[in-house]
Amino acid sequence: MAENIARVFADAIAPDPTRPLLTWYDDATGERTELSGATLANWVSKTANLLVDELGLGTGDTAGVLLPPHWQTAAVLLGCWSAGLTVAETPGEVDVLFAAADRVGQAEAWSAGDRYALALDPFALPMRQVPPGFADYVLEVRAHGDHFTPYASGAEDLVERARRRADELGLAPGDRVLIDAAAHPDPQDWLLAPLATAATVVLCANLDPTRLPSRTETEKVTRTLT
């Protein structure tokens, strides 16, 4: 059976689920959020359970994702792939849509029965005001279970693409990769390619170049993508 993203994710965290897998910085707000493999896996499972148990979705269904690089985006994407959904790359008709609060206006280009908004606030706080026609992802997803058995099918093609991209970016197994979110907004770069090589990520939004030297040392970065 072809390998899928859910299997790659599981393999990436298996050696040590407690090690930092994805560390998020936003230099505009000063936020730093560090997720171990186990913590991110819990968010991924909750998302997959939301899709399967609450919405009745699975293999063959589609999701639209209007989200910037962010640790919560990683949870949404990996949750969709774990549940067997295909993430659409262009606007159109989908079964579920996830949108950042500042991108809900773009949702008009998508047709979706269920819509979730993400504030992307520090500490995953619930939204102060939920946009009309949307549910609050953070509020809804917390009610679901921490464990999910990924579907065996779905997103096989993404694995090969991710491995090719990892080669292009010069990533190696065990790398600690600092990534400028603005320069590499494609999930192939900031999420899938590192996972495919069992690398860990320091994802930086609004990156302040003056902080690079100290952050590289503090986070034990071995590869920088800016």
Side-chain angles (χ1 to χ4, degrees):
M1 182 178 293
E3 192 174 19
N4 63 18
I5 289 298
R7 180 74 265 160
V8 169
F9 176 54
D11 289 346
I13 66 177
D16 184 2
T18 65
R19 72 169 178 164
L21 182 71
L22 174 58
T23 304
W24 163 258
Y25 283 91
D26 186 341
D27 287 345
T29 64
E31 179 188 357
R32 180 185 184 275
T33 299
E34 182 171 280
L35 286 86
S36 67
T39 300
L40 182 55
N42 283 348
W43 278 88
V44 170
S45 293
K46 286 178 177 292
T47 303
N49 282 318
L50 167 69
L51 294 168
V52 174
D53 295 342
E54 185 162 323
L55 304 185
L57 302 179
T59 303
D61 293 318
T62 55
V65 178
L66 293 173
L67 297 169
H70 192 276
W71 70 263
Q72 290 181 41
T73 304
V76 167
L77 288 170
L78 292 168
C80 287
W81 289 319
S82 292
L85 275 66
T86 297
V87 176
E89 297 185 359
T90 56
E93 185 174 350
V94 293
D95 296 289
V96 62
L97 179 69
F98 297 90
D102 61 359
R103 296 188 182 184
V104 294
Q106 301 174 32
E108 296 179 0
W110 298 77
S111 174
D114 295 284
R115 298 174 176 233
Y116 293 90
L118 288 80
L120 304 179
D121 282 338
F123 310 113
L125 296 174
M127 301 185 76
R128 297 177 180 84
Q129 184 172 356
V130 182
F134 285 80
D136 182 348
Y137 164 77
V138 163
L139 199 59
E140 298 294 328
V141 82
R142 287 189 188 278
H144 291 273
D146 293 342
H147 301 284
F148 180 83
T149 300
Y151 286 15
S153 61
E156 290 89 348
D157 63 311
L158 290 177
V159 177
E160 198 54 45
R161 288 165 55 189
R163 292 203 167 115
R164 287 199 303 268
R165 187 57 178 152
D167 287 341
E168 293 169 358
L169 295 172
L171 304 185
D175 268 344
R176 179 78 165 152
V177 190
L178 187 148
I179 303 174
D180 181 352
H184 295 275
D186 190 330
Q188 282 284 343
D189 288 4
W190 65 265
L191 177 63
L192 296 183
L195 283 179
T197 53
T200 64
V201 173
V202 181
L203 183 62
C204 304
N206 304 299
L207 180 61
D208 179 354
T210 65
R211 300 184 182 184
L212 267 177
S214 62
R215 186 165 301 163
T216 297
E217 181 178 0
T218 301
E219 296 290 349
K220 298 180 173 58
V221 170
T222 62
R223 182 84 173 91
T224 302
L225 301 177
T226 57

